[in-house]
Amino acid sequence: MSRIYLSPPHMGEQERRLLLEAFDSNWIAPLGPHVDAFERELAERVAMPHAAALSSGTAALHLALHLLGVGVGDEVLVSTLTFAASVNPIVYQGATPVLIDSEERTWNMDPDLLEEELAACAARGKLPKAVIVVDLYGQCANFDRIVPICARYEVPIIEDAAEALGSTWRGRPAGSFGTFGVFSFNGNKIITTSGGGMLVSGRADLIERARFLATQARDPAPHYEHSTVGHNYRLSNLLAAVGRGQLQVLDERVARRRENFRRYAEAFAEVDGISMMPVAEEGEPNCWLTCLSIDAAQFGASNEQVRERLAAENIEARPVWKPMHLQPVFRHCRVRGGAVAKRLFAGGLCLPSGSSLTDDDRERVVAAVLSVREMRTVA
Ligand SMILES: Cc1ncc(COP(=O)(O)O)c(C=O)c1O
């Protein structure tokens, strides 16, 4: 049986054509016409006027923190239910992450807990330098609440929309809710450049500075002159060409992933013990990954037993992100709440969700999931 991957790259003729054109032009560098055009096109797509194309989403988060002046001794609030890349750059800057639990309805940062934590920080006389809000699995966080709460305390938001390109909240694009938005074009994302990222902002000065820091902070001079420490974080022109091609088909990719979610939801609608990741009515997620919660007692098998069964059938599935407050490396970090993310991890499973997944493949996944229960019923 052929392998079904969780979220494989999905390339077309256009990407190939643009890549070869970039190659033939000899702009084989972390600058060039495709980098400039990719920035313009992505910025337009997410309704943020300025964008810097970077080597990864992690680099984009790192630069955002750097640009907000996050440094040694500072605190940064961040969602606990996320990938480690949301949190690691806080530590790169010598600052301390403070982890905030999820709410049930979006699986994203709980606005009530955010408010409590900010009030506690204010009472102690030390506000965080930034809040990193993650749009998990392509669903926007509750920005109706989070934006005004952060504004009240004058703490800037970095929106980690790495997984959420093409999603909206009340019609507004993911990545446009903070001082900065961050996207990833890692190989498993909804569109990919194999590796890459984008930092977007409403502020031209910040993005200009991001480009400066991302190219080793070279001061204007004929020789190499440096008055600050920089990074090597720019995106290659070859990869930007691929990104431009992918961007042209983003709507199709989103539509297909939403269809995956809808079909899985239909297939599991009557199954006791399986519930889909909730979709808040204010938003339209890109459905990057379709995630389930499995109640082992009701379903008759745990999420891990289902994952193992799928693996035996050559189908890749993954647990939901293990929360950061349960990770050995972040054990020392303060956490507000934590029980919701812990429970979502304990029962969660991400199913194959690629835009190239065929109907037959999806039916194979559904049958494999249901077969676990049937095997146990027979036993
Ligand atoms: C939520 C989240 N943040 C950040 C990243 C980091 O992006 P990259 O892999 O491009 O560094 C990823 C994905 O990899 C992610 O899923």
Side-chain angles (χ1 to χ4, degrees):
M1 262 181 300
S2 62
R3 181 148 178 83
I4 301 178
Y5 290 97
L6 186 77
S7 180
H10 185 178
M11 291 291 151
E13 239 343 279
Q14 183 73 340
E15 291 84 325
R16 189 184 156 81
R17 192 185 62 72
L18 285 162
L19 175 64
L20 291 176
E21 188 227 276
F23 185 89
D24 291 340
S25 74
N26 207 33
W27 278 102
I28 320 268
L31 82 172
H34 286 294
V35 174
D36 300 341
F38 190 33
E39 288 175 344
R40 275 197 310 275
E41 289 160 8
L42 193 287
E44 191 175 326
R45 173 70 209 218
V46 302
M48 281 293 245
H50 309 286
L54 302 169
S55 53
S56 69
T58 310
L61 283 162
H62 190 192
L63 286 181
L65 292 165
H66 188 143
L67 288 160
L68 291 174
V70 173
V72 175
D74 290 329
E75 290 184 340
V76 175
L77 310 192
V78 57
S79 318
T80 190
L81 188 62
T82 186
F83 181 47
S86 307
V87 184
N88 285 335
I90 301 169
V91 183
Y92 303 164
Q93 286 301 99
T96 303
V98 177
L99 306 166
I100 310 288
D101 202 1
S102 298
E103 59 168 1
E104 301 274 358
R105 62 190 289 270
T106 62
W107 291 15
N108 287 310
M109 185 181 281
D110 182 328
D112 290 329
L113 296 181
L114 169 67
E115 197 162 22
E116 279 176 24
E117 182 58 33
L118 284 171
C121 291
R124 274 202 302 275
K126 186 180 176 188
L127 283 167
K129 269 282 178 66
V131 179
I132 299 178
V133 183
V134 180
D135 297 331
L136 204 71
Y137 296 121
Q139 167 152 259
C140 285
N142 183 351
F143 289 111
D144 293 0
R145 301 259 337 265
I146 290 173
V147 169
I149 291 168
C150 290
R152 192 163 359 114
Y153 288 93
E154 297 182 22
V155 179
I157 293 173
I158 300 169
E159 184 183 356
D160 181 352
E163 303 172 359
L165 181 62
S167 307
T168 59
W169 181 263
R170 293 198 190 279
R172 197 168 142 185
S176 69
F177 289 90
T179 304
F180 289 108
V182 166
F183 296 99
S184 165
F185 311 116
N186 183 29
N188 64 3
K189 293 299 183 289
I190 193 151
I191 65 169
T192 179
T193 59
S194 81
M198 194 76 77
L199 182 67
V200 299
S201 178
R203 281 183 50 186
D205 58 327
L206 292 176
I207 293 299
E208 200 179 313
R209 184 84 183 155
R211 290 198 193 101
F212 167 76
L213 292 172
T215 41
Q216 305 287 24
R218 285 179 58 189
D219 292 333
H223 59 278
Y224 288 90
E225 179 82 9
H226 304 275
S227 49
T228 189
V229 173
H231 308 275
N232 181 6
Y233 275 172
R234 283 295 256 165
L235 184 70
S236 150
N237 190 57
L238 296 179
L239 302 185
V242 176
R244 292 184 70 199
Q246 288 267 278
L247 199 54
Q248 288 176 17
V249 290
L250 175 62
D251 287 334
E252 291 164 37
R253 301 296 188 255
V254 171
R256 187 65 190 170
R257 290 198 188 233
R258 284 180 181 156
E259 189 181 349
N260 286 335
F261 182 94
R262 205 167 50 244
R263 292 292 175 87
Y264 280 130
E266 283 165 14
F268 299 129
E270 306 297 325
V271 179
D272 283 344
I274 293 188
S275 42
M276 308 296 290
M277 177 178 172
V279 177
E281 63 197 15
E282 301 94 321
E284 280 197 290
N286 65 4
C287 300
W288 172 55
L289 293 186
T290 291
C291 305
L292 312 174
S293 286
I294 298 180
D295 181 321
Q298 274 187 28
F299 181 61
S302 68
N303 57 339
E304 185 53 16
Q305 285 169 317
V306 174
R307 196 192 62 75
E308 283 168 2
R309 174 84 207 130
L310 294 176
E313 298 209 12
N314 213 11
I315 298 169
E316 185 187 22
R318 289 271 175 87
V320 161
W321 298 125
K322 181 175 178 181
M324 293 302 116
H325 70 283
L326 302 179
Q327 301 286 357
V329 65
F330 298 122
R331 205 173 19 218
H332 62 283
C333 295
R334 194 161 80 242
V335 54
R336 187 158 288 265
V340 174
K342 185 177 177 187
R343 191 176 46 68
L344 293 173
F345 169 60
L349 191 67
C350 307
L351 294 180
S353 305
S355 45
S356 53
L357 190 75
T358 64
D359 292 350
D360 286 348
D361 283 347
R362 200 175 45 237
E363 279 162 28
R364 219 178 102 196
V365 177
V366 169
V369 171
L370 296 178
S371 73
V372 186
R373 184 188 54 166
E374 281 149 19
M375 280 163 59
R376 293 185 62 88
T377 312
V378 171

